[in-house]
Amino acid sequence: MAYAVDFKNVSVVGLESSPVPEALAGLRANEARYFKNKYDHVFTVEPADEATSTVDWIHRILKEERGLVIGSRPLEATEFEVDGIRMAYVFYESGLSINVMYALDDGGKRAVGFKLSDGMEIPEELASTFKFARQKSKLAGTIRGSYFVIKNAY
């Protein structure tokens, strides 16, 4: 069942099995606030097993671009379009969030972003390849993030 993320009253709904549910909920709420403020878009997620095409698309990009396979179980996902950009997110049980920003116009920006919830370790599959910068968030505490540019078409 789809769930509109409330960034004013942060809830761990759908994320209870994570070892860092509050931090992951804060990270999810941080994304919801960004899209509401910038695009007036309501950030709605659904269980990952109901959003298999979104999860599969992100996993295909990770595998084909960088040979990455994420070890953690996907909990929730969402996909939507804003200002000619296809956005997709997967929130993982470990506290990891992966998003794909994919401009629909040729030559537009296309990238994969990784965000780590406060209190989680860098996943083994990302630790040797990516450096993570820190940013503070009222909703999520300290977010560590990294990204890479997508080179192929998906």
Side-chain angles (χ1 to χ4, degrees), residues 1-7 13 15 24-46 54 58 76-82 86-91 97-100 115 139:
M1 187 167 110
Y3 168 73
V5 178
D6 184 348
F7 56 87
V13 168
L15 308 174
L24 184 54
L27 181 59
R28 180 179 65 182
N30 187 66
E31 300 301 320
R33 180 179 59 195
Y34 172 80
F35 283 101
K36 182 64 177 170
N37 290 341
K38 181 156 179 116
Y39 300 105
D40 197 29
H41 172 79
V42 176
F43 195 85
T44 304
V45 294
E46 59 186 334
T54 301
I58 288 178
E76 293 184 332
T78 186
E79 184 178 333
F80 53 93
E81 186 181 321
V82 290
R86 179 180 178 188
M87 297 295 306
Y89 279 81
V90 177
F91 296 92
S97 168
I98 297 179
N99 74 287
V100 171
K115 290 186 179 175
L139 293 170

